[in-house]
Amino acid sequence: IQFAKDKATIDPSSNVVIEAVAKLIKQNPDLNLIEIGGHASKEGNEKHNEQLTQQRVDAVLKDLEKQGVEKGRLVAQGYGSYCPVDTGDSEESLEKNRRVEFKILYRNGKDLGQKRGCEEAVKKGLKLKALPAVKNVVSEEKKDAAADQKKLEEKKAEKKPKGAAPAATPAK
């Protein structure tokens, strides 16, 4: 997701990415909680980068909500420049660190054990946003499968004569 330089304004070229992410989340109700993590390169002031990354992920969260994603399924966390994926000084390295990451934290009501942030962010005193209560949403597909399984079991029970003894196992 691209932004205007040193701003939280999402570049219009990124709308297609946001639309695709929103569609994916809405089509997968079993993805209960997703973190939108914002990261910056090591250029500039640390506190400014921390604030800028938070503003940027807040903007992404708002755009996803406008696309119909429930707010309770998302948490936006800015990490500033504290969690680089590339520690180099080249423009390519700096570019890799300017990113937005989506991490699935809970699926089917279960914590997936995804680590939030990094050691450097903790050392710098970055406070992680509290996670919203996780709703265990069962997808329609899973509901249908469970209903089909129940009907199958009921049919088997109907076919079995009442009081019938279980079939004998042949002796060896």
Side-chain angles (χ1 to χ4, degrees):
I1 297 175
Q2 300 296 312
F3 298 89
K5 186 172 177 62
D6 204 35
K7 293 190 181 347
T9 308
I10 298 171
D11 189 282
S13 67
S14 295
N15 289 344
V16 68
V17 175
I18 292 184
E19 289 167 8
V21 170
K23 182 178 179 182
L24 178 86
I25 294 171
K26 290 189 302 186
Q27 288 177 340
N28 291 280
D30 57 317
L31 304 179
N32 308 113
L33 185 58
I34 298 163
E35 179 189 74
I36 308 165
H39 301 272
S41 65
K42 59 187 171 185
E43 299 168 296
N45 176 283
E46 283 184 357
K47 285 298 174 193
H48 173 73
N49 282 338
E50 201 177 303
Q51 291 169 347
L52 180 61
T53 57
Q54 186 62 54
Q55 292 167 353
R56 286 178 168 182
V57 293
D58 287 342
V60 171
L61 184 140
K62 284 179 186 161
D63 269 16
L64 289 170
E65 287 175 351
K66 285 179 191 172
Q67 295 287 325
V69 176
E70 300 164 57
K71 186 176 184 171
R73 295 176 67 193
L74 304 169
V75 61
Q77 180 70 56
Y79 290 106
S81 58
Y82 304 135
C83 306
V85 290
D86 189 328
T87 57
D89 292 320
S90 70
E91 184 53 42
E92 185 180 329
S93 296
L94 297 172
E95 185 66 30
K96 285 180 189 175
N97 292 321
R98 296 181 202 119
R99 67 195 190 281
V100 172
E101 295 180 337
F102 294 89
K103 285 186 181 177
I104 301 168
L105 302 178
Y106 282 79
R107 185 174 195 168
N108 290 320
K110 291 188 175 77
D111 183 346
L112 298 181
Q114 288 280 0
K115 184 179 176 197
R116 295 179 65 207
C118 62
E119 200 173 307
E120 186 65 17
V122 172
K123 282 183 193 174
K124 296 287 185 174
L126 182 100
K127 301 281 185 236
L128 292 178
K129 302 275 183 220
L131 297 178
V134 175
K135 294 178 189 172
N136 189 6
V137 180
V138 180
S139 70
E140 290 303 315
E141 193 174 284
K142 287 185 180 180
K143 285 181 187 174
D144 292 346
D148 290 346
Q149 181 65 33
K150 186 175 179 181
K151 285 178 187 174
L152 184 63
E153 289 171 9
E154 287 171 355
K155 281 185 182 179
K156 283 182 184 177
E158 287 173 11
K159 288 182 181 177
K160 193 179 207 181
K162 291 190 187 219
T169 337
K172 292 185 181 180

